[in-house]
Amino acid sequence: MFFFQDVKWMLMTKYIAPTAAISAIYSAWYGWGKTENHVKIKSIDEAVEFLNHNKETPEALRYISNFDFDRQPRYLKKLSIRSLGILAGVGSEIVRQARVHQCKREDDDFLFQNALSKFDLGPSWKRGVDWLHRSPCLDEDLSCEDWQVWRPTQVERLQRLLQILFIETENQFSPDTVDIYVVDFLFNVFKLFDGDTPEIARLTLRILANVALNGQEYAERIFSTEWLQILGNLVTRGETLEERLIAHKICRNALHTLDSVPYKLPSDVYELHISQGEPVVDIVLIHGLCGSVLYTWRQKDDRTKLISECWPKDWLPLDINDSMRILGVNYPSYLLHSSGAVDSLPQRAERFVKQLSSAGIGSRPVVFICHSMGGLLAKKMLLDSEELRKNTVGVLFIATPHRGSPIAEWGDYNFPFTPSEDVRFLHSKNQQNEKLNQDFGTISKEIPVIASMIETKESDLIATAKGIIVPTESAVFGSGVLYHIDEVHHNVCKPSERTSPTYGVVLNFVRDSIAAAKKRNPSKEIKVY
C-alpha cells in the first residue's frame, strides 16, 4: 500500500517540478555544438573552453554542473559573460558564486522623481515624467486640496510610465533615448517592488526581456550585474509561472543578442518547453477571448490539488517520445469596449506571424493547439502567411466559434454596456468571420491533421442563466475528426489529470501531427544532443 503511494507521489513530483528549466540543464541547448560525434570532455579547462566558444555546449554544461567550484573558484573567473548567461538560463546554482557588478543604487525618492528623466522617449514621455513629479494626495489625507477627486498614487503613476517604457522598448531603440542605465534602473524597481507590488516587479522583467534584444552592451550588462543571480534563481525557482517564463525569456533574448541562440522571443511569445535534441515539431498554443498563456492552459481548477500550472508544458514531454518545442502566445482581449487601443483579430494575426517567425516558427513543422477565439486567430495567420501554412502539419480547434456564438448577440438587447470588437466579431452574422471560415476552407486540405473538440456542458452566464457558449454547429469546422467533451467552455481546454479523456484527445492529436511531420521529411535525420 505504502509502496504504491510512494510510486504515485514520485510520478506526480516528476511533473510538479517547474519545467521552465527546459528539460534539465543541458537539453535547452539542442542548437549548439551540432556535431556527428560528441567529444568526451576530460577536464574543467576543456569544459570552460568549449562553453566560452559555444562548442559542445550540452557536454560542457554536463561537466561544469558537476564540478566543485568551491574547491577551485579560479575557474569561475574563466567563464565568459555569455557562459554565465547560459548557466543562468538553465537555473544553475553556479551563478550564485560568480562575482558580479553591483547595479547603481538610488534612494527611493530619486527613483521616483529623477531616474526616468534620464530616458528621452519624446513629448508624451516627458509629460508623463512631469506628471510623476507632482505631489499626489495620500489616500488617507482628507485635508488634501480637492480630496474628493480621485488622484493616482505615485506608485500608480510609476506603473503607467513603466507601461509606456515597455511599449517603447518592444522595438529597437537608440541608446540616446534609453541608455544602458535602464538595466540598473529596472533592477532597483524590481528589488523595491518584488513581493509588495508583484505586478510592477513583473512588468520590469518584461521590459528587461525587450531591453536584452537591443545590443551587446545591454545583454552583457544584464549578465555581468546582480541580474545574473536573480535570473538564475527565477528561471527554476520563481514563485509564479509568469516569473519563470519571463526570466527564461530574458536569458534567451540576451543570449540571442550574444549570438548563442538562433532565435528571439518577442514580447507576446513565451517558450514553455524545449526537449533534448533537435525538435521534430514546434507546438504553438493560442488562447481565446479573455484568456492568457498563464491561465488558459492550467490543469482543471481543483481546490484540493494543483499538479500543473501549464499542462502542455508539464505533461506532453512525459508522454511524447519525440523532441518538441512548445510556445504560447499572449494577447489582451476584453468582453466590453475599452477606451484603450486593442488590436483587432487581423492586426493580431499580422503581429503574431512576425513574432512567431522571429521565434523560429516555420523552420520545422508546426502544430497549433487553439482554444475558442484562438482558433480564429490561427486560421487568419495561416491564410495570411503561405510560409507558415506550408509548414503546418496540425491544427486542433478547441471549442472554436467558426460560425460565431449566440452569447455574443446578447449585446443586441439594450444592455447598459458596449461589447468589444472581439465580441462583435463572434456575432453569428459577422461577415468577417463568415469570410474567414469560407477562405480557410479553401486551404484547409493543405493541413494533414485537423481535429475539433466540442463542449457539451452549459456554462454559467449572467445571474442564473446557463448556456452552451460555442454550440456544436459552430464548433464543427467541416473537416477533420470530432470529439465531444463533457465540459463547460472554459474547462474544455483544461484536463483534470493525465488520464482524462480531454488530455487523451490532445495526446492523440499531437502524435498524429508528429507522424505527419515525419512523412513530410522522411529522409531528415533527427539528431539528439
Side-chain angles (χ1 to χ4, degrees):
M1 176 70 175
F2 290 105
F3 172 77
F4 287 107
Q5 288 180 340
D6 290 343
V7 170
K8 183 178 180 181
W9 173 247
M10 289 171 65
L11 290 172
M12 288 174 61
T13 55
K14 186 176 181 182
Y15 55 92
I16 290 174
T19 58
I22 316 302
S23 301
I25 275 193
Y26 7 91
S27 63
W29 314 108
Y30 73 89
W32 294 347
K34 292 191 175 182
T35 56
E36 293 295 332
N37 298 306
H38 291 294
V39 175
K40 182 68 175 178
I41 296 178
K42 300 177 181 179
S43 68
I44 184 61
D45 290 286
E46 201 171 41
V48 170
E49 180 74 10
F50 278 141
L51 192 60
N52 285 345
H53 288 86
N54 220 21
K55 295 168 57 180
E56 296 292 340
T57 301
E59 296 299 323
L61 282 171
R62 285 188 179 94
Y63 195 101
I64 288 172
S65 66
N66 293 315
F67 185 77
D68 188 353
F69 284 95
D70 287 329
R71 292 189 175 183
Q72 301 187 64
R74 69 181 185 277
Y75 286 105
L76 271 176
K77 298 179 181 179
K78 295 184 177 182
L79 290 169
S80 66
I81 290 176
R82 180 173 58 188
S83 295
L84 291 173
I86 293 172
L87 290 166
V90 295
S92 172
E93 295 192 6
I94 293 171
V95 297
R96 295 184 181 184
Q97 306 172 50
R99 290 187 178 181
V100 295
H101 300 293
Q102 279 198 342
C103 289
K104 183 179 179 182
R105 296 295 198 277
E106 307 291 356
D107 59 52
D108 295 354
D109 290 338
F110 181 90
L111 183 64
F112 283 116
Q113 296 178 2
N114 299 309
L116 291 171
S117 298
K118 290 178 175 286
F119 311 136
D120 182 13
L121 295 173
S124 61
W125 176 262
K126 186 178 185 304
R127 287 194 298 271
V129 173
D130 291 341
W131 183 56
L132 179 70
H133 289 179
R134 298 176 186 172
S135 297
C137 293
L138 297 175
D139 293 339
E140 66 274 13
D141 185 6
L142 300 184
S143 65
C144 183
E145 183 181 0
D146 296 331
W147 64 269
Q148 299 95 333
V149 179
W150 176 83
R151 295 186 179 188
T153 65
Q154 211 157 9
V155 172
E156 290 169 328
R157 295 179 179 189
L158 176 63
Q159 186 173 3
R160 293 188 187 183
L161 281 172
L162 289 175
Q163 289 168 344
I164 296 174
L165 186 59
F166 171 75
I167 294 171
E168 294 294 335
T169 55
E170 281 190 292
N171 299 311
Q172 200 78 10
F173 55 85
S174 168
D176 294 333
T177 59
V178 180
D179 63 18
I180 194 66
Y181 169 74
V182 70
V183 176
D184 298 55
F185 165 72
L186 292 172
F187 174 84
N188 283 313
V189 176
F190 178 82
K191 293 295 288 185
L192 183 61
F193 290 101
D194 185 33
D196 293 335
T197 316
E199 59 271 20
I200 288 185
R202 291 168 195 165
L203 181 54
T204 62
L205 293 176
R206 293 171 63 203
I207 298 170
L208 191 66
N210 292 342
V211 169
L213 292 169
N214 205 61
Q216 180 177 342
E217 184 182 14
Y218 292 87
E220 290 185 343
R221 183 65 181 172
I222 292 170
F223 287 150
S224 63
T225 61
E226 294 158 285
W227 272 121
L228 177 78
Q229 291 149 347
I230 287 178
L231 294 172
N233 180 65
L234 289 178
V235 161
T236 53
R237 292 172 287 275
E239 291 186 7
T240 66
L241 174 66
E242 183 177 13
E243 287 179 343
R244 299 193 294 273
L245 292 180
I246 301 176
H248 171 72
K249 178 186 288 194
I250 294 168
C251 292
R252 294 299 261 188
N253 283 350
L255 290 169
H256 170 77
T257 300
L258 297 176
D259 297 324
S260 293
V261 173
Y263 57 86
K264 61 183 178 181
L265 298 172
S267 56
D268 298 323
V269 178
Y270 293 85
E271 190 170 59
L272 307 177
H273 169 85
I274 183 167
S275 302
Q276 183 174 2
E278 175 74 18
V280 179
V281 295
D282 285 332
I283 298 176
V284 180
L285 310 176
I286 309 180
H287 66 77
L289 182 64
C290 298
S292 164
V293 72
L294 304 170
Y295 172 76
T296 297
W297 311 108
R298 288 167 62 94
Q299 176 193 4
K300 183 179 178 181
D301 296 339
D302 186 335
R303 294 182 180 180
T304 63
K305 62 180 179 179
L306 177 62
I307 294 177
S308 174
E309 293 177 286
C310 182
W311 60 263
K313 171 179 73 70
D314 292 334
W315 297 354
L316 287 177
L318 300 180
D319 297 312
I320 300 292
N321 293 327
D322 296 283
S323 297
M324 73 189 83
R325 190 164 66 122
I326 305 175
L327 295 94
V329 297
N330 209 48
Y331 61 93
S333 57
Y334 308 96
L335 292 174
L336 305 182
H337 177 71
S338 172
S339 59
V342 179
D343 286 344
S344 64
L345 187 140
Q347 289 171 327
R348 287 190 196 116
E350 181 181 5
R351 176 180 175 89
F352 286 151
V353 165
K354 294 177 181 177
Q355 290 202 5
L356 288 173
S357 177
S358 296
I361 297 298
S363 59
R364 63 181 64 86
V366 184
V367 177
F368 285 98
I369 298 178
C370 318
H371 178 240
S372 195
M373 196 171 189
L376 305 183
L377 182 54
K379 286 159 66 175
K380 181 60 176 171
M381 291 165 57
L382 291 168
L383 280 167
D384 289 351
S385 173
E386 183 179 357
E387 184 69 20
L388 182 61
R389 185 167 68 246
K390 75 178 184 181
N391 284 296
T392 297
V393 294
V395 180
L396 175 59
F397 295 116
I398 305 177
T400 293
H402 300 288
R403 297 166 188 82
S405 168
I407 309 302
E409 298 172 22
W410 284 18
D412 297 343
Y413 298 100
N414 296 323
F415 282 104
F417 55 74
T418 303
S420 67
E421 183 176 344
D422 286 330
V423 172
R424 291 196 296 270
F425 193 93
L426 298 178
H427 196 290
S428 62
K429 297 180 181 179
N430 184 280
Q431 293 181 355
Q432 284 183 291
N433 194 20
E434 287 180 353
K435 186 176 188 306
L436 174 63
N437 196 45
Q438 292 169 2
D439 291 347
F440 186 75
T442 64
I443 57 99
S444 60
K445 292 181 179 179
E446 300 177 34
I447 301 169
V449 183
I450 294 179
S452 300
M453 294 168 63
I454 303 168
E455 66 195 81
T456 59
K457 270 189 176 181
E458 292 186 331
S459 299
D460 293 329
L461 301 175
I462 298 175
T464 59
K466 292 179 177 289
I468 299 290
I469 292 178
V470 181
T472 300
E473 58 269 22
S474 180
V476 173
F477 165 63
S479 65
V481 64
L482 306 176
Y483 299 94
H484 290 81
I485 305 297
D486 187 27
E487 276 294 358
V488 298
H489 183 77
H490 76 278
N491 276 342
V492 74
C493 59
K494 295 180 176 66
S496 58
E497 54 190 352
R498 286 169 65 196
T499 58
S500 71
T502 304
Y503 181 62
V505 169
V506 176
L507 206 53
N508 288 334
F509 162 76
V510 172
R511 286 170 176 160
D512 289 345
S513 298
I514 289 176
K518 290 180 177 179
K519 287 181 180 179
R520 283 192 172 185
N521 300 282
S523 61
K524 182 178 179 181
E525 180 182 357
I526 304 300
K527 303 174 184 178
V528 178
Y529 301 100

